[in-house]
Amino acid sequence: MRLISFVNAILVVVALFFLVFERDALFAFAGRGEGESDTASATESGGNDPVDQTVMGVVALRSSAQEIDSAVLLRGQTKANRQVEVLAETTSTVISEPKRKGTFVEPGDLLCELDPGTRPASLAEAMAGKLEAKSRVPEAEARLEEAHALVAEAEINLKAANKLSETGFGSETRRISSEAAMRSAEAGIKTAEAGLEATRAGIEAASAEVEAAQREIERQTIEAPFKGLLESDTAELGSLMQPGSLCATVIQLDPIKLVGFVPEAEVNRVVVGSEASAHLITGPQVAGLVTFLSRSADETTRTFEVEITVPNPDLAIRDGQTADIRIAAEGTKAHMLPQSALTLNNEGQVGVRTVGEGDVVDFMPIRLLRDTAEGVWVDGLPEEVDIIVVGHEFVTKGVKVVPNYRETQQ
C-alpha cells in the first residue's frame, strides 16, 4: 500500500510539472495527437476532407493605433503663490486698531502702527548734528588756503636766502631758517587737508545718523508687502512689539500654484511652459501652465518638484487642496483595449495574445499608458494588429485558432 501511494504521488508531481512548466509543449502534443485521431476517424467514416476538430475558436479585435495625448499624471496640492509673515523690526507698542483675518489688503496698506516714542527727537538731533558738521567746512577750507599761502611765502623767502647766500650777502643761518620755514609751511598744508577730510567725514557720519533715525521712524508703520488677504489678525492694540514679533500673515491666492512631484522615469517628459490641467477634490476643473521644474531630486522619494500656475481671480481655490494633475506631454500611438484582454506569459511579462499569419497565436508584450473607464491605452504593438479578447487564456503561442473578428466599438 505504501508503494502504491508513493507511485501515485510521483505521477501527480510529474503531471503538475508538465501542466505548469511545459504547458505549451503539452498543449501542442495534445493538439497533434487529437488531431491525428480525429483525422483518422473522419477518413475511416468515409469523409472526403478530414476536419481538424481540435482547432479552437477565439474572438479577436482588429485594432488600429490612435494618436493620444500621453499626459503625465500626478497627485498634488494647491499652494498660495505668496505667503509672508510680516514681522516688526523695532521695539514699541501698537497704537493702531487691529485688522481681522480674511481682510483684503493692497500693497502699502497699514497693518500695524507703532508708538513713535522719542524717535522724532532723535531725528531732530541727528539733523542738527549734520548741519553743525557742514558748518565746519568753510573753516577747514580757509585753513587749507592759509596753509597754501604760507607755503608760497616760505618759497619766496627761501629763494631770496639762497641767492644772498650764493653772492655772500646773506648768512648760512638765514638760508637754513628759510628751508625750515618752507618745510613747516608744507606740513601745514597736509594738516589743513587732513582737517578738511575729517570735516567731510563728520558730515557723512551725521548724514548716516539722520538716515538711521529716519529709518527707525519708518519702522513705526508696518505695511502690506503685496496684494492679498490676511490669514491672521494683525497685532492687537497696546501689545508690545519687538524685532521679530508677528504683525500679520498675508497670503496671495491669485494666481495660485499646483505643486506635485514627477517620478524620475517621467521627468524628461515634462517641459516648462507645457499646458496642464487639474481636477480638484472639491470638484472644479482648472488649467494652467508649468512654470517650474526642479533640477534636483528629493533625496527620499527620488522625485522632482513641479509647479503649475493657475489663475484664481475669484479666490475659489484655497491653499492646500488635493488635486489630480495632468501635464500635457508629446503624443504617441496607442491601442484602446478592454482590460480583460491583458494576460501574462510564462516569464511574467504583461502582454496580449494576437492572431498572426496563418491564424497562428503570438504573444506581444505591451506597456500600459493610461487606465480609463472604457479600457486601457497600451503601446508596444504594431499600428494594425488582431488581438484575442475572448479565449486568450486557453491558447498559447504557436497554436492555430479559428478567429471570429469584431469591431472596436463592440
Side-chain angles (χ1 to χ4, degrees):
M1 293 296 293
R2 292 182 179 179
L3 179 61
I4 295 174
S5 300
F6 182 71
V7 171
N8 288 339
I10 293 176
L11 292 175
V12 170
V13 170
V14 171
L16 289 175
F17 172 80
F18 278 101
L19 284 174
V20 175
F21 296 100
E22 300 293 336
R23 184 176 64 174
D24 293 348
L26 183 62
F27 283 0
F29 174 77
R32 287 194 299 270
E34 293 177 5
E36 292 171 357
S37 176
D38 291 340
T39 302
S41 298
T43 304
E44 290 174 357
S45 63
N48 295 326
D49 297 325
V51 178
D52 189 355
Q53 297 179 353
T54 64
V55 178
M56 184 174 182
V58 294
V59 177
L61 175 70
R62 284 185 168 165
S63 177
S64 299
Q66 305 175 43
E67 186 78 21
I68 66 167
D69 175 19
S70 178
V72 178
L73 305 180
L74 308 173
R75 173 61 69 92
Q77 65 178 12
T78 60
K79 185 177 180 181
N81 188 46
R82 293 178 180 176
Q83 180 166 340
V84 173
E85 293 182 343
V86 185
L87 307 178
E89 299 181 70
T90 188
T91 302
S92 189
T93 55
V94 178
I95 60 174
S96 59
E97 290 292 334
K99 296 181 183 296
R100 299 307 175 190
K101 53 188 174 184
T103 303
F104 290 92
V105 293
E106 296 288 339
D109 283 358
L110 179 66
L111 299 179
C112 298
E113 184 178 3
L114 307 182
D115 184 11
T118 59
R119 291 176 181 83
S122 299
L123 176 59
E125 182 181 358
M127 295 181 68
K130 183 177 179 180
L131 290 175
E132 182 182 357
K134 287 183 176 180
S135 68
R136 296 196 187 102
V137 173
E139 180 182 355
E141 291 177 344
R143 288 177 181 173
L144 181 58
E145 292 178 1
E146 181 182 0
H148 280 291
L150 291 175
V151 168
E153 180 182 359
E155 186 177 4
I156 293 172
N157 291 336
L158 179 59
K159 287 181 180 179
N162 286 334
K163 287 183 180 180
L164 291 175
S165 178
E166 290 174 358
T167 57
F169 293 100
S171 63
E172 185 67 18
T173 303
R174 182 179 178 182
R175 186 184 66 79
I176 294 173
S177 177
S178 298
E179 290 178 352
M182 182 64 182
R183 287 193 292 272
S184 177
E186 291 174 346
I189 289 179
K190 293 181 179 179
T191 301
E193 289 176 345
L196 182 59
E197 289 297 325
T199 302
R200 290 172 177 169
I203 295 174
E204 292 180 0
S207 299
E209 290 181 2
V210 170
E211 290 179 4
Q214 290 175 338
R215 181 73 181 108
E216 189 66 18
I217 288 180
E218 291 174 358
R219 289 172 178 165
Q220 295 174 216
T221 56
I222 304 175
E223 300 174 345
F226 51 79
K227 181 180 179 180
L229 57 87
L230 296 179
E231 188 66 8
S232 66
D233 293 342
T234 61
E236 189 59 59
L237 176 66
S239 58
L240 177 63
M241 304 291 286
Q242 297 191 13
S245 298
L246 178 64
C247 169
T249 301
V250 184
I251 64 173
Q252 185 182 69
L253 297 178
D254 183 27
I256 197 167
K257 294 185 290 188
L258 303 176
V259 181
F261 292 87
V262 183
E264 187 176 4
E266 299 194 36
V267 67
N268 288 337
R269 299 175 58 205
V270 179
V271 180
V272 174
S274 299
E275 295 183 355
S277 62
H279 182 267
L280 302 181
I281 198 167
T282 53
Q285 187 86 13
V286 296
L289 298 176
V290 176
T291 53
F292 172 76
L293 177 62
S294 174
R295 292 285 179 177
S296 176
D298 183 272
E299 293 183 359
T300 304
T301 62
R302 308 305 304 168
T303 56
F304 295 81
E305 183 179 8
V306 61
E307 291 183 359
I308 297 122
T309 302
V310 175
N312 188 28
D314 56 356
L315 306 184
I317 307 173
R318 302 173 184 272
D319 181 26
Q321 290 182 260
T322 303
D324 292 322
I325 303 171
R326 293 169 53 91
I327 302 175
E330 186 178 353
T332 185
K333 290 278 190 178
H335 293 263
M336 166 66 82
L337 304 177
Q339 196 169 22
S340 60
L342 306 184
T343 187
L344 297 173
N345 65 0
N346 291 337
E347 287 74 34
Q349 286 181 302
V350 179
V352 293
R353 289 193 171 94
T354 62
V355 179
E357 293 185 6
D359 294 336
V360 175
V361 175
D362 192 9
F363 178 85
M364 293 186 179
I366 54 93
R367 184 169 68 95
L368 294 174
L369 296 180
R370 192 182 306 166
D371 189 1
T372 66
E374 295 77 20
V376 291
W377 288 98
V378 302
D379 71 350
L381 300 175
E383 288 201 16
E384 301 287 339
V385 63
D386 297 337
I387 300 168
I388 301 175
V389 293
V390 177
H392 55 284
E393 293 294 348
F394 303 101
V395 295
T396 59
K397 182 177 180 179
V399 174
K400 189 172 183 179
V401 295
V402 177
N404 179 24
Y405 293 98
R406 77 178 188 187
E407 298 298 328
T408 304
Q409 60 268 24
Q410 295 177 317

